[in-house]
Amino acid sequence: MTDTTAPAAGEILTDVHQGVGRIRLNRPKALNALTTPMVAAVDDTLAAWEGSALRAVVLSSTSAKAFCAGGDMRAIRQNVLAGDAEASERFFATEYRLNARIAEYPVPVVALVDGICMGGGLGLSVHGGYRVVTENTVLAMPETALGFFPDIGAGYFLPRLPGALGMYLGLTGHRLDAADALYTGLATHFVPADRVHLVPDALAANPHTPVDTVLKDLGDGSVVPRSRLAAVRPEVDRAFGSPTLAGIKAELRRLDGAWAAGALATLDAVSPRSLEITHALLTAGRDRSLRDCLAADLRLARTTIVQPDFLEGVRAVLVDKDHTPVWQPA
């Protein structure tokens, strides 16, 4: 058993000020990688606040580098190796319950995504109504490189991005900056990093002003560079709009440009099994509710974390960091 069942011990900081609830992730040395107690603490806090007359809830981080690097996959792998996969199942069940609560929360949830936000970090942010990014933001769903799959309801929100962007992001783990996040719709507002800490007080000081207006006012005058994803959007849609993985790869070969070559190299480098799972999950997710997608995630997580590719992928990327995984055949 890992410390994923130990008390959160200050890793989640909460308070309410003038009608604004604040939840701050406070595990900076681990880039706020989520453990079961951390996720449960956030969920319990939101549950306790549901009956309150709050103006909004703001999710943020005490780390200068990250909003949230995702679930603690090293701990999940260690649980499996120790013969305690049940501990990791508890993590995923708790995390997905929190994702649903954020999506259905009765007051606006505002995520301040300043820095790295990957995997489970998107689960804390994307399901809320407002996702604020800064010039430091890096978003990604890198699970296929870990022998896993984009979970936390990604089967719901990725297929609903414009064109084939969601399939591209889910299969390749492509990293987005603030401009890309705004272009795809994964982010709703831009506020400079030196002003993003002002959001909770600004919301509290303007209780009758729409949240959207408060956030726009804080970002007023900010210049966001053009999205690099926008420049390759026709190629993304042409290749990743193909109905099969084989078709996606064939289109990338036909495109024969720098972007296509890079995307093809990424697909060839990640877990073949993860690609199959992800493609099927995102295809099915187009016709599923968020709750149904999260239920599918839990079923898949139970089986995926005990597979050789997951153990090997996490080893290569997060444990030994040699980035030379040896995958099993698809």
Side-chain angles (χ1 to χ4, degrees):
M1 180 81 73
T2 73
D3 65 355
T4 54
T5 58
E11 292 174 348
I12 300 294
L13 306 177
T14 67
D15 66 84
V16 177
H17 176 63
Q18 292 183 316
V20 175
R22 292 195 307 169
I23 300 175
R24 290 179 291 163
L25 307 179
N26 187 41
R27 196 186 177 205
K29 290 184 179 179
L31 302 181
N32 293 324
L34 298 170
T35 63
T36 304
M38 289 175 69
V39 175
V42 175
D43 191 51
D44 290 346
T45 299
L46 289 176
W49 286 350
E50 272 192 13
S52 306
L54 291 180
R55 154 85 160 126
V57 172
V58 178
L59 285 169
S60 63
S61 162
T62 63
S63 167
K65 295 181 179 180
F67 172 71
C68 174
D72 192 339
M73 304 303 263
R74 292 177 54 154
I76 291 165
R77 176 180 183 270
Q78 189 56 44
N79 285 339
V80 175
L81 293 175
D84 192 9
E86 183 182 345
S88 293
E89 288 186 27
R90 284 197 299 272
F91 168 76
F92 290 117
T94 306
E95 183 182 32
Y96 302 159
R97 183 174 68 242
L98 172 58
N99 298 152
R101 188 184 300 279
I102 291 171
E104 298 165 2
Y105 209 61
V107 301
V109 177
V110 182
L112 307 183
V113 186
D114 183 25
I116 295 167
C117 179
M118 297 189 180
L122 273 80
L124 293 179
S125 55
V126 169
H127 297 301
Y130 301 93
R131 290 89 65 186
V132 179
V133 291
T134 76
E135 65 271 24
N136 301 325
T137 298
V138 179
L139 296 183
M141 294 294 292
E143 286 79 7
T144 56
L146 298 176
F148 199 56
F149 63 92
D151 61 334
I152 49 89
Y156 179 81
F157 66 79
L158 286 180
R160 286 162 176 79
L161 298 185
L165 288 171
M167 187 64 77
Y168 170 58
L169 299 178
L171 291 176
T172 66
H174 175 79
R175 296 188 175 199
L176 300 86
D177 60 13
D180 290 336
L182 291 164
Y183 174 71
T184 59
L186 291 173
T188 59
H189 295 79
F190 179 88
V191 175
D194 62 359
R195 274 189 270 171
V196 76
H197 68 282
L198 300 174
V199 169
D201 288 342
L203 291 171
N206 297 278
H208 304 298
T209 305
V211 173
D212 175 68
T213 302
V214 172
L215 297 176
K216 284 180 177 176
D217 287 347
L218 284 172
D220 186 43
S222 303
V223 177
V224 181
R226 178 172 167 78
S227 164
R228 288 172 291 182
L229 262 184
V232 294
R233 173 70 184 281
E235 289 90 345
V236 171
D237 287 353
R238 176 176 166 183
F240 287 85
S242 177
T244 65
L245 273 174
I248 290 172
K249 291 186 176 183
E251 284 294 339
L252 288 171
R253 292 187 189 98
R254 276 193 283 270
L255 285 168
D256 193 30
W259 172 83
L264 187 60
T266 297
L267 294 181
D268 287 341
V270 301
S271 163
R273 185 177 188 275
S274 291
L275 290 179
E276 296 284 356
I277 292 172
T278 299
H279 188 271
L281 187 71
L282 300 188
T283 301
R286 295 169 187 158
D287 300 314
R288 287 174 170 166
S289 67
L290 173 60
R291 287 273 185 177
D292 287 343
C293 286
L294 290 168
D297 287 345
L298 186 56
R299 291 192 298 270
L300 277 171
R302 288 190 182 114
T303 56
T304 302
I305 61 175
V306 297
Q307 296 297 320
D309 271 13
F310 175 75
L311 301 176
E312 175 66 1
V314 176
R315 178 208 66 76
V317 176
L318 300 176
V319 180
D320 297 336
K321 300 181 181 179
D322 56 28
H323 297 276
T324 56
V326 179
W327 306 118
Q328 299 292 320

